[in-house]
């Protein structure tokens, strides 16, 4: 499996999941691989009684993860809501991996997602040859999750059209999926539930109907509270990237990560860390995920077009690309920040020169 670019969570962390399963003595809901307590331990990390170390998958409020896991143990579905880049998809994948041992039952929501993508489709060759039959039915991830008592994931729920979203109402309230063509229905096995993710910052989002909202318990995932928390998230994800990509580069100096996170947090909040200078914020979200991407891009430049050591020059293009999404408004915001903040910091002279040279 070493040639797989991105392994599923249940494969990548199979050792941790297996050890948790061995040590887990708490009661498990039907079809759950782990107990709710063990699922939270898998997400937050910690040391087991035998000394085995579980790495944190989510760095943030433990209580939020407890609420999310408790929701999935009820008949309410879970909606992970927040700004882009707040680890909604990441948490969703790990929840499904720890609860069902399978994070692959996923529907990617888009404006073109149809009702058939959620309910079921048909193999039209068989349908024409044999007529409606169980063999001609094409199962969706939601249908498979219902039959197997597993977690189905729906990414970007609010990108799906409102009329298609409401297809979920019967599934979530009645726990059944009618198949009128066959005069039958699929009844959900215990353990079935849905995790959906959504954000309201991107263009092209559709509001959820009040009827659908009532079927979900919403957990809002915030941006990291503290600077140190965000630095830790970026460091861990970057180290994972280096390992998977087998980059011939040194580990990034913590100071370089700190500078990226500082830039993003200051522009995001509209004020410098010391609170002395007010700033204009760009239209981009400048999320933790984008900070990770900037460092990963810089590491790749350092590995293949440098000496393997991450420098300000390697990071400059990624920083500008993340901040300047609008070539007019965002560029003005960036230039002002560069001249009034970055230039005045003695220890940031290399960052200033590298960014100025790129325009």
């Amino acid at each position: 499996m070493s040639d797989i670019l991105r392994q599923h969570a249940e494969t990548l962390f199979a050792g941790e999941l297996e050890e948790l399963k061995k040590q887990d003595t708490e009661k498990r809901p039907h079809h759950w691989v782990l107990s709710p307590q063990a699922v939270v331990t898998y997400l937050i990390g910690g040391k087991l009684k035998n000394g085995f170390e579980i790495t944190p998958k989510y760095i943030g409020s433990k209580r939020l993860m407890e609420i999310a896991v408790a929701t999935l143990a009820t008949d309410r579905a879970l909606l992970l809501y927040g700004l882009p880049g707040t680890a909604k998809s990441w948490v969703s994948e790990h929840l499904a991996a720890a609860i069902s041992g399978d994070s692959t039952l996923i529907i990617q929501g888009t404006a073109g997602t149809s009702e058939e993508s959620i309910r079921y489709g048909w193999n039209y060759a068989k349908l024409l040859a044999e007529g409606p039959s169980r063999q001609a039915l094409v199962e969706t991830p939601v249908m498979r999750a219902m039959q197997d008592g597993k977690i189905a994931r729906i990414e970007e729920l609010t990108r799906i059209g409102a009329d298609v979203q409401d297809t979920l109402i019967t599934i979530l309230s009645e726990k059944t999926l009618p198949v009128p063509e066959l005069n039958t229905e699929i009844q959900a096995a215990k353990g079935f539930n849905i995790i959906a993710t959504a954000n309201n910052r991107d263009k092209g989002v559709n509001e959820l109907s009040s009827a659908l909202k009532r079927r979900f318990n919403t957990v809002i995932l915030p941006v990291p509270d503290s600077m140190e928390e965000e630095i830790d998230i970026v460091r861990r994800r970057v180290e994972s990237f280096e390992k998977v990509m087998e980059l011939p580069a040194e580990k990034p100096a913590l100071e370089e990560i700190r500078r990226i996170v500082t830039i993003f947090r200051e522009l995001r909040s509209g004020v410098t860390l010391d609170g002395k200078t007010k700033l204009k914020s760009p239209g981009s979200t400048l999320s933790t995920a984008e900070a990770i991407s900037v460092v990963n891009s810089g590491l790749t430049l350092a590995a293949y077009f440098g000496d393997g050591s991450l420098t300000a020059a390697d990071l400059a293009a990624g920083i500008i690309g993340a901040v300047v999404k609008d070539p007019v408004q965002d560029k003005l915001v960036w230039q002002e920040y560069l001249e009034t903040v970055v230039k005045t910091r003695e220890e940031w002279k290399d960052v200033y020169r590298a960014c100025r040279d790129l325009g």
Side-chain angles (χ1 to χ4, degrees), residues 176-353:
T176 62
L177 176 57
V179 188
E181 297 90 339
L182 301 180
N183 194 29
T184 188
E185 64 181 10
I186 305 297
Q187 291 186 297
K190 288 182 178 179
F192 164 73
N193 215 325
I194 287 177
I195 304 173
T197 66
N199 75 73
N200 64 349
R201 275 294 295 269
D202 291 343
K203 294 177 181 178
V205 298
N206 302 287
E207 283 294 318
L208 301 182
S209 67
S210 57
L212 187 54
K213 280 181 182 176
R214 288 196 299 271
R215 270 73 181 182
F216 281 100
N217 189 29
T218 301
V219 171
I220 298 173
L221 296 185
V223 294
D225 283 338
S226 69
M227 167 84 90
E228 296 309 319
E229 194 175 90
E230 191 162 3
I231 289 170
D232 194 27
I233 293 169
V234 175
R235 179 186 64 78
R236 288 175 183 275
R237 293 291 297 276
V238 168
E239 286 178 359
S240 174
F241 168 81
E242 274 193 291
K243 187 176 179 182
V244 170
M245 300 305 292
E246 299 176 348
L247 287 180
E250 298 174 12
K251 284 187 177 181
L254 206 57
E255 191 52 42
E256 295 300 341
I257 293 177
R258 182 177 292 278
R259 292 202 288 192
I260 297 293
V261 172
T262 299
I263 290 169
F264 278 33
R265 288 182 75 88
E266 288 183 331
L267 284 171
R268 202 162 61 208
S269 63
V271 65
T272 52
L273 292 183
D274 59 13
K276 293 180 180 177
T277 307
K278 287 191 175 181
L279 306 165
K280 293 175 184 173
S281 295
S284 49
T285 56
L286 297 179
S287 65
T288 308
E290 288 172 297
I292 294 164
S293 179
V294 168
V295 180
N296 286 345
S297 177
L299 275 173
T300 308
L301 278 171
Y304 296 116
F305 302 103
D307 62 3
S309 179
L310 187 63
T311 66
D314 298 318
L315 294 169
I319 295 170
I320 296 171
V323 175
V324 182
K325 301 297 187 190
D326 183 312
V328 179
Q329 295 299 323
D330 289 348
K331 190 167 185 180
L332 289 173
V333 170
W334 170 245
Q335 290 293 343
E336 185 177 314
Y337 178 76
L338 192 63
E339 295 299 327
T340 60
V341 178
V342 178
K343 187 178 180 180
T344 62
R345 291 174 175 164
E346 188 63 36
E347 69 279 14
W348 282 27
K349 293 295 184 187
D350 54 341
V351 177
Y352 174 73
R353 285 192 298 270

Side-chain angles (χ1 to χ4, degrees), residues 141-191:
V142 170
M143 181 183 276
R144 291 200 299 275
M146 291 180 75
Q147 293 175 122
D148 298 339
K150 290 184 175 181
I151 300 291
R153 300 165 56 207
I154 301 178
E155 291 292 306
E156 303 290 356
L157 178 60
T158 49
R159 286 193 173 279
I160 300 173
D163 54 335
V164 178
Q165 289 176 10
D166 284 346
T167 303
L168 290 168
I169 291 175
T170 301
I171 295 171
L172 294 178
S173 59
E174 305 297 327
K175 309 303 179 189
T176 62
L177 176 57
V179 188
E181 297 90 339
L182 301 180
N183 194 29
T184 188
E185 64 181 10
I186 305 297
Q187 291 186 297
K190 288 182 178 179

